[in-house]
Amino acid sequence: MATATHYLEVNAPAAECYRWWRPLTHLPQILDDVESVEPKDGSADVTHWVVDGPLGKKIEWDAKIIDEEQDRKIAWTSLEESNNHVETGGAVRFDDHGPKTGVEVSLHVETPAGALGDLGAKLFADPQKKIEKALQEFKQLMESNTTR
């Protein structure tokens, strides 16, 4: 299982940071491998993920928000019934420091053995570097006022 966690300060209020993250649909803007995250069946809590893999392969799964506190945290996990063969999930926490927000993102991925596992392992290689880059891009988005 691969896990990654990163924390940084963003010069934006926690409520604004939370609003950007909450639908999860903005994640392709900061996660290079994520092609799309879309609501599934009109649900605000269930999303369908499409991720670009090696050799033009795509990996897809459904995920559900499993824990949430407005303006404080969001956690999600892949749904077993989406038959994705990849167990993944994550959480983002927002620490309100007035005009600034501490943002911590944690991701975990467990891939199966065999060829699909090899594909997943390549896709999720170096998750720490990917999450650090994604949070830096999130910080730039929020601080540039392009999302406000």
PDB file of all heavy atoms in Angstrom, residues 94-118:
ATOM      1  N   PHE A  94      -8.679  21.112   6.896  1.00  0.00           N
ATOM      2  CA  PHE A  94      -8.485  22.557   6.816  1.00  0.00           C
ATOM      3  C   PHE A  94      -8.388  23.113   8.229  1.00  0.00           C
ATOM      4  O   PHE A  94      -9.351  23.038   8.993  1.00  0.00           O
ATOM      5  CB  PHE A  94      -9.660  23.206   6.084  1.00  0.00           C
ATOM      6  CG  PHE A  94      -9.960  22.550   4.765  1.00  0.00           C
ATOM      7  CD1 PHE A  94     -10.965  21.605   4.665  1.00  0.00           C
ATOM      8  CD2 PHE A  94      -9.224  22.858   3.640  1.00  0.00           C
ATOM      9  CE1 PHE A  94     -11.249  20.983   3.460  1.00  0.00           C
ATOM     10  CE2 PHE A  94      -9.491  22.241   2.424  1.00  0.00           C
ATOM     11  CZ  PHE A  94     -10.503  21.299   2.333  1.00  0.00           C
ATOM     12  N   ASP A  95      -7.228  23.646   8.594  1.00  0.00           N
ATOM     13  CA  ASP A  95      -7.025  24.261   9.904  1.00  0.00           C
ATOM     14  C   ASP A  95      -7.171  25.762   9.755  1.00  0.00           C
ATOM     15  O   ASP A  95      -6.330  26.416   9.117  1.00  0.00           O
ATOM     16  CB  ASP A  95      -5.640  23.914  10.454  1.00  0.00           C
ATOM     17  CG  ASP A  95      -5.462  22.430  10.711  1.00  0.00           C
ATOM     18  OD1 ASP A  95      -6.465  21.756  11.011  1.00  0.00           O
ATOM     19  OD2 ASP A  95      -4.324  21.946  10.596  1.00  0.00           O
ATOM     20  N   ASP A  96      -8.230  26.309  10.326  1.00  0.00           N
ATOM     21  CA  ASP A  96      -8.554  27.728  10.202  1.00  0.00           C
ATOM     22  C   ASP A  96      -7.596  28.565  11.044  1.00  0.00           C
ATOM     23  O   ASP A  96      -7.579  28.470  12.262  1.00  0.00           O
ATOM     24  CB  ASP A  96      -9.998  27.949  10.650  1.00  0.00           C
ATOM     25  CG  ASP A  96     -10.481  29.361  10.394  1.00  0.00           C
ATOM     26  OD1 ASP A  96      -9.671  30.223  10.011  1.00  0.00           O
ATOM     27  OD2 ASP A  96     -11.686  29.598  10.574  1.00  0.00           O
ATOM     28  N   HIS A  97      -6.800  29.393  10.372  1.00  0.00           N
ATOM     29  CA  HIS A  97      -5.898  30.323  11.035  1.00  0.00           C
ATOM     30  C   HIS A  97      -6.249  31.745  10.620  1.00  0.00           C
ATOM     31  O   HIS A  97      -5.373  32.546  10.284  1.00  0.00           O
ATOM     32  CB  HIS A  97      -4.439  30.019  10.666  1.00  0.00           C
ATOM     33  CG  HIS A  97      -3.995  28.647  11.031  1.00  0.00           C
ATOM     34  ND1 HIS A  97      -2.964  28.012  10.392  1.00  0.00           N
ATOM     35  CD2 HIS A  97      -4.444  27.762  11.956  1.00  0.00           C
ATOM     36  CE1 HIS A  97      -2.788  26.809  10.910  1.00  0.00           C
ATOM     37  NE2 HIS A  97      -3.684  26.638  11.848  1.00  0.00           N
ATOM     38  N   GLY A  98      -7.561  32.035  10.586  1.00  0.00           N
ATOM     39  CA  GLY A  98      -8.010  33.366  10.182  1.00  0.00           C
ATOM     40  C   GLY A  98      -7.878  33.547   8.686  1.00  0.00           C
ATOM     41  O   GLY A  98      -8.495  32.825   7.923  1.00  0.00           O
ATOM     42  N   PRO A  99      -7.030  34.508   8.255  1.00  0.00           N
ATOM     43  CA  PRO A  99      -6.891  34.729   6.811  1.00  0.00           C
ATOM     44  C   PRO A  99      -6.092  33.619   6.117  1.00  0.00           C
ATOM     45  O   PRO A  99      -6.050  33.542   4.901  1.00  0.00           O
ATOM     46  CB  PRO A  99      -6.153  36.063   6.714  1.00  0.00           C
ATOM     47  CG  PRO A  99      -5.409  36.175   8.002  1.00  0.00           C
ATOM     48  CD  PRO A  99      -6.259  35.473   9.037  1.00  0.00           C
ATOM     49  N   LYS A 100      -5.455  32.762   6.897  1.00  0.00           N
ATOM     50  CA  LYS A 100      -4.686  31.643   6.354  1.00  0.00           C
ATOM     51  C   LYS A 100      -5.343  30.329   6.760  1.00  0.00           C
ATOM     52  O   LYS A 100      -6.093  30.266   7.730  1.00  0.00           O
ATOM     53  CB  LYS A 100      -3.244  31.651   6.870  1.00  0.00           C
ATOM     54  CG  LYS A 100      -2.423  32.803   6.369  1.00  0.00           C
ATOM     55  CD  LYS A 100      -0.989  32.657   6.810  1.00  0.00           C
ATOM     56  CE  LYS A 100      -0.166  33.799   6.261  1.00  0.00           C
ATOM     57  NZ  LYS A 100       1.261  33.589   6.498  1.00  0.00           N
ATOM     58  N   THR A 101      -5.010  29.277   6.006  1.00  0.00           N
ATOM     59  CA  THR A 101      -5.521  27.951   6.313  1.00  0.00           C
ATOM     60  C   THR A 101      -4.397  26.943   6.167  1.00  0.00           C
ATOM     61  O   THR A 101      -3.676  26.941   5.166  1.00  0.00           O
ATOM     62  CB  THR A 101      -6.657  27.564   5.335  1.00  0.00           C
ATOM     63  OG1 THR A 101      -7.683  28.551   5.428  1.00  0.00           O
ATOM     64  CG2 THR A 101      -7.233  26.202   5.659  1.00  0.00           C
ATOM     65  N   GLY A 102      -4.257  26.098   7.178  1.00  0.00           N
ATOM     66  CA  GLY A 102      -3.362  24.960   7.060  1.00  0.00           C
ATOM     67  C   GLY A 102      -4.131  23.857   6.343  1.00  0.00           C
ATOM     68  O   GLY A 102      -5.231  23.505   6.756  1.00  0.00           O
ATOM     69  N   VAL A 103      -3.596  23.345   5.260  1.00  0.00           N
ATOM     70  CA  VAL A 103      -4.261  22.309   4.482  1.00  0.00           C
ATOM     71  C   VAL A 103      -3.391  21.057   4.523  1.00  0.00           C
ATOM     72  O   VAL A 103      -2.202  21.112   4.183  1.00  0.00           O
ATOM     73  CB  VAL A 103      -4.481  22.750   3.014  1.00  0.00           C
ATOM     74  CG1 VAL A 103      -5.174  21.652   2.223  1.00  0.00           C
ATOM     75  CG2 VAL A 103      -5.289  24.042   2.966  1.00  0.00           C
ATOM     76  N   GLU A 104      -3.995  19.960   4.952  1.00  0.00           N
ATOM     77  CA  GLU A 104      -3.283  18.684   4.977  1.00  0.00           C
ATOM     78  C   GLU A 104      -4.048  17.680   4.132  1.00  0.00           C
ATOM     79  O   GLU A 104      -5.247  17.489   4.327  1.00  0.00           O
ATOM     80  CB  GLU A 104      -3.150  18.139   6.389  1.00  0.00           C
ATOM     81  CG  GLU A 104      -2.408  16.804   6.422  1.00  0.00           C
ATOM     82  CD  GLU A 104      -2.289  16.252   7.813  1.00  0.00           C
ATOM     83  OE1 GLU A 104      -3.319  15.785   8.343  1.00  0.00           O
ATOM     84  OE2 GLU A 104      -1.169  16.294   8.364  1.00  0.00           O
ATOM     85  N   VAL A 105      -3.352  17.062   3.188  1.00  0.00           N
ATOM     86  CA  VAL A 105      -3.946  16.046   2.327  1.00  0.00           C
ATOM     87  C   VAL A 105      -3.250  14.725   2.587  1.00  0.00           C
ATOM     88  O   VAL A 105      -2.016  14.666   2.659  1.00  0.00           O
ATOM     89  CB  VAL A 105      -3.820  16.419   0.837  1.00  0.00           C
ATOM     90  CG1 VAL A 105      -4.336  15.297  -0.055  1.00  0.00           C
ATOM     91  CG2 VAL A 105      -4.584  17.698   0.551  1.00  0.00           C
ATOM     92  N   SER A 106      -4.045  13.680   2.737  1.00  0.00           N
ATOM     93  CA  SER A 106      -3.533  12.314   2.874  1.00  0.00           C
ATOM     94  C   SER A 106      -4.186  11.461   1.806  1.00  0.00           C
ATOM     95  O   SER A 106      -5.407  11.545   1.605  1.00  0.00           O
ATOM     96  CB  SER A 106      -3.892  11.733   4.245  1.00  0.00           C
ATOM     97  OG  SER A 106      -3.348  12.506   5.270  1.00  0.00           O
ATOM     98  N   LEU A 107      -3.391  10.654   1.117  1.00  0.00           N
ATOM     99  CA  LEU A 107      -3.906   9.728   0.114  1.00  0.00           C
ATOM    100  C   LEU A 107      -3.344   8.346   0.399  1.00  0.00           C
ATOM    101  O   LEU A 107      -2.201   8.219   0.860  1.00  0.00           O
ATOM    102  CB  LEU A 107      -3.478  10.138  -1.295  1.00  0.00           C
ATOM    103  CG  LEU A 107      -4.012  11.450  -1.833  1.00  0.00           C
ATOM    104  CD1 LEU A 107      -3.412  11.734  -3.207  1.00  0.00           C
ATOM    105  CD2 LEU A 107      -5.521  11.416  -1.938  1.00  0.00           C
ATOM    106  N   HIS A 108      -4.134   7.321   0.112  1.00  0.00           N
ATOM    107  CA  HIS A 108      -3.622   5.949   0.195  1.00  0.00           C
ATOM    108  C   HIS A 108      -4.159   5.153  -0.993  1.00  0.00           C
ATOM    109  O   HIS A 108      -5.262   5.398  -1.470  1.00  0.00           O
ATOM    110  CB  HIS A 108      -3.994   5.293   1.520  1.00  0.00           C
ATOM    111  CG  HIS A 108      -5.454   5.021   1.654  1.00  0.00           C
ATOM    112  ND1 HIS A 108      -6.346   5.941   2.142  1.00  0.00           N
ATOM    113  CD2 HIS A 108      -6.193   3.926   1.327  1.00  0.00           C
ATOM    114  CE1 HIS A 108      -7.571   5.432   2.129  1.00  0.00           C
ATOM    115  NE2 HIS A 108      -7.501   4.208   1.630  1.00  0.00           N
ATOM    116  N   VAL A 109      -3.330   4.228  -1.451  1.00  0.00           N
ATOM    117  CA  VAL A 109      -3.674   3.391  -2.594  1.00  0.00           C
ATOM    118  C   VAL A 109      -3.159   1.992  -2.327  1.00  0.00           C
ATOM    119  O   VAL A 109      -2.010   1.822  -1.908  1.00  0.00           O
ATOM    120  CB  VAL A 109      -3.023   3.915  -3.899  1.00  0.00           C
ATOM    121  CG1 VAL A 109      -3.357   2.998  -5.062  1.00  0.00           C
ATOM    122  CG2 VAL A 109      -3.450   5.321  -4.196  1.00  0.00           C
ATOM    123  N   GLU A 110      -4.007   1.015  -2.569  1.00  0.00           N
ATOM    124  CA  GLU A 110      -3.586  -0.374  -2.495  1.00  0.00           C
ATOM    125  C   GLU A 110      -3.972  -1.031  -3.814  1.00  0.00           C
ATOM    126  O   GLU A 110      -5.138  -1.031  -4.196  1.00  0.00           O
ATOM    127  CB  GLU A 110      -4.259  -1.099  -1.324  1.00  0.00           C
ATOM    128  CG  GLU A 110      -3.711  -2.481  -1.123  1.00  0.00           C
ATOM    129  CD  GLU A 110      -4.129  -3.077   0.206  1.00  0.00           C
ATOM    130  OE1 GLU A 110      -4.556  -2.336   1.114  1.00  0.00           O
ATOM    131  OE2 GLU A 110      -4.023  -4.301   0.324  1.00  0.00           O
ATOM    132  N   THR A 111      -2.972  -1.540  -4.512  1.00  0.00           N
ATOM    133  CA  THR A 111      -3.215  -2.159  -5.807  1.00  0.00           C
ATOM    134  C   THR A 111      -3.124  -3.678  -5.681  1.00  0.00           C
ATOM    135  O   THR A 111      -2.401  -4.187  -4.827  1.00  0.00           O
ATOM    136  CB  THR A 111      -2.194  -1.670  -6.857  1.00  0.00           C
ATOM    137  OG1 THR A 111      -0.882  -1.977  -6.400  1.00  0.00           O
ATOM    138  CG2 THR A 111      -2.333  -0.193  -7.103  1.00  0.00           C
ATOM    139  N   PRO A 112      -3.824  -4.410  -6.525  1.00  0.00           N
ATOM    140  CA  PRO A 112      -3.791  -5.870  -6.476  1.00  0.00           C
ATOM    141  C   PRO A 112      -2.502  -6.411  -7.087  1.00  0.00           C
ATOM    142  O   PRO A 112      -1.753  -5.669  -7.717  1.00  0.00           O
ATOM    143  CB  PRO A 112      -4.994  -6.267  -7.332  1.00  0.00           C
ATOM    144  CG  PRO A 112      -5.108  -5.154  -8.322  1.00  0.00           C
ATOM    145  CD  PRO A 112      -4.710  -3.910  -7.566  1.00  0.00           C
ATOM    146  N   ALA A 113      -2.287  -7.697  -6.945  1.00  0.00           N
ATOM    147  CA  ALA A 113      -1.138  -8.351  -7.565  1.00  0.00           C
ATOM    148  C   ALA A 113      -1.429  -8.577  -9.045  1.00  0.00           C
ATOM    149  O   ALA A 113      -2.562  -8.438  -9.495  1.00  0.00           O
ATOM    150  CB  ALA A 113      -0.871  -9.679  -6.870  1.00  0.00           C
ATOM    151  N   GLY A 114      -0.401  -8.904  -9.805  1.00  0.00           N
ATOM    152  CA  GLY A 114      -0.592  -9.238 -11.217  1.00  0.00           C
ATOM    153  C   GLY A 114      -0.447  -8.036 -12.123  1.00  0.00           C
ATOM    154  O   GLY A 114       0.026  -6.970 -11.731  1.00  0.00           O
ATOM    155  N   ALA A 115      -0.893  -8.202 -13.361  1.00  0.00           N
ATOM    156  CA  ALA A 115      -0.725  -7.160 -14.386  1.00  0.00           C
ATOM    157  C   ALA A 115      -1.451  -5.879 -14.018  1.00  0.00           C
ATOM    158  O   ALA A 115      -0.925  -4.780 -14.192  1.00  0.00           O
ATOM    159  CB  ALA A 115      -1.219  -7.673 -15.730  1.00  0.00           C
ATOM    160  N   LEU A 116      -2.689  -5.998 -13.517  1.00  0.00           N
ATOM    161  CA  LEU A 116      -3.421  -4.790 -13.129  1.00  0.00           C
ATOM    162  C   LEU A 116      -2.714  -4.092 -11.981  1.00  0.00           C
ATOM    163  O   LEU A 116      -2.639  -2.870 -11.926  1.00  0.00           O
ATOM    164  CB  LEU A 116      -4.868  -5.128 -12.747  1.00  0.00           C
ATOM    165  CG  LEU A 116      -5.752  -3.926 -12.447  1.00  0.00           C
ATOM    166  CD1 LEU A 116      -5.864  -3.016 -13.675  1.00  0.00           C
ATOM    167  CD2 LEU A 116      -7.126  -4.375 -12.025  1.00  0.00           C
ATOM    168  N   GLY A 117      -2.164  -4.877 -11.070  1.00  0.00           N
ATOM    169  CA  GLY A 117      -1.404  -4.303  -9.963  1.00  0.00           C
ATOM    170  C   GLY A 117      -0.177  -3.562 -10.443  1.00  0.00           C
ATOM    171  O   GLY A 117       0.160  -2.496  -9.943  1.00  0.00           O
ATOM    172  N   ASP A 118       0.503  -4.118 -11.464  1.00  0.00           N
ATOM    173  CA  ASP A 118       1.665  -3.441 -12.038  1.00  0.00           C
ATOM    174  C   ASP A 118       1.258  -2.110 -12.657  1.00  0.00           C
ATOM    175  O   ASP A 118       1.943  -1.109 -12.506  1.00  0.00           O
ATOM    176  CB  ASP A 118       2.320  -4.320 -13.107  1.00  0.00           C
ATOM    177  CG  ASP A 118       2.996  -5.554 -12.511  1.00  0.00           C
ATOM    178  OD1 ASP A 118       3.235  -5.566 -11.289  1.00  0.00           O
ATOM    179  OD2 ASP A 118       3.273  -6.487 -13.279  1.00  0.00           O
TER     180      ASP A 118
END
